[in-house]
Amino acid sequence: MSNKLAKHQKQKERLTGKQKKVLFWSCFTALSIAFVMVWLNVFLTSNALDRQMEEMVLGEDYDREDVVITDKRSEDASADNAISQNYFFYYHGGKTNEYNKRMQVPESVYTEYEVGDTITAYTTDHIKYSYNKAGILPDKKFRNNELMKVAGVLLGAAIGFLSLWGLLNRKIS
């Protein structure tokens, strides 16, 4: 056995100070550009959807019809049952869990109407109905725009955390 002790050596840093700065500013710039592009896309799409709603003509592009409420149900919107509730009316003979025959409504409307009552709803195809006019927008465009808003918020949070890390890292050094 050897009685030599291994000397504790300080680990060599993988990145130099200059390389860290370049990496930090590269990430910050890339996230900032992505953030601006996402929110620009959201803004333009929202304006296009708003313009489409304004240009829609009753009787040509959409109709309003009275539908009979055949069932109603409230569902928890989260796993812990405490955050929020979603309220649904079923129509055209729809019963609970017939998702193709239901419309989401606010709580105030949910409590105002009972099963068997008639409610005026918007439709473009006389199959799918919505309580408000925005509900008849093209599903894919509207859903993608909402997902882009989430991406924008996440990018903003990433920029904030990166800025905070850079600030703290500077003060520690």
Side-chain angles (χ1 to χ4, degrees):
M1 281 217 195
S2 172
N3 55 359
K4 293 182 182 180
L5 295 173
K7 292 183 181 178
H8 180 67
Q9 295 178 354
K10 189 175 181 183
Q11 271 191 338
K12 188 177 178 182
E13 288 195 32
R14 293 183 184 168
L15 296 175
T16 65
K18 187 174 183 178
Q19 289 173 328
K20 285 181 183 178
K21 265 188 185 175
V22 169
L23 181 62
F24 172 80
W25 286 109
S26 299
C27 290
F28 186 81
T29 303
L31 285 173
S32 297
I33 290 171
F35 179 79
V36 169
M37 296 300 291
V38 164
W39 282 108
L40 182 64
N41 184 8
V42 167
F43 176 74
L44 293 174
T45 305
S46 294
N47 281 347
L49 290 173
D50 289 343
R51 200 173 326 108
Q52 181 179 352
M53 289 298 296
E54 290 171 6
E55 293 173 357
M56 291 176 81
V57 178
L58 179 63
E60 290 179 25
D61 300 316
Y62 71 94
D63 291 306
R64 289 180 57 160
E65 292 181 14
D66 292 334
V67 292
V68 177
I69 301 168
T70 56
D71 199 2
K72 60 190 254 187
R73 180 176 181 194
S74 66
E75 297 177 3
D76 296 323
S78 65
D80 62 4
N81 302 335
I83 293 180
S84 67
Q85 292 276 326
N86 290 325
Y87 301 95
F88 299 99
F89 285 157
Y90 293 85
Y91 53 85
H92 291 314
K95 293 291 180 192
T96 302
N97 296 327
E98 284 191 66
Y99 300 116
N100 60 333
K101 296 180 180 179
R102 76 177 186 175
M103 73 174 103
Q104 188 168 0
V105 296
E107 181 182 10
S108 59
V109 174
Y110 182 82
T111 57
E112 182 181 337
Y113 290 90
E114 296 298 327
V115 173
D117 290 348
T118 301
I119 186 169
T120 303
Y122 294 90
T123 185
T124 55
D125 57 8
H126 306 285
I127 296 170
K128 182 182 174 214
Y129 292 85
S130 177
Y131 170 73
N132 58 8
K133 192 174 172 184
I136 59 174
L137 287 171
D139 284 343
K140 190 169 184 172
K141 270 188 190 178
F142 187 74
R143 187 176 302 119
N144 287 346
N145 198 44
E146 296 301 306
L147 291 174
M148 289 298 280
K149 289 177 184 177
V150 172
V153 168
L154 291 175
L155 283 169
I159 290 170
F161 286 129
L162 186 63
S163 299
L164 183 63
W165 178 78
L167 183 66
L168 291 176
N169 199 22
R170 181 182 295 172
K171 291 199 180 211
I172 292 173
S173 298

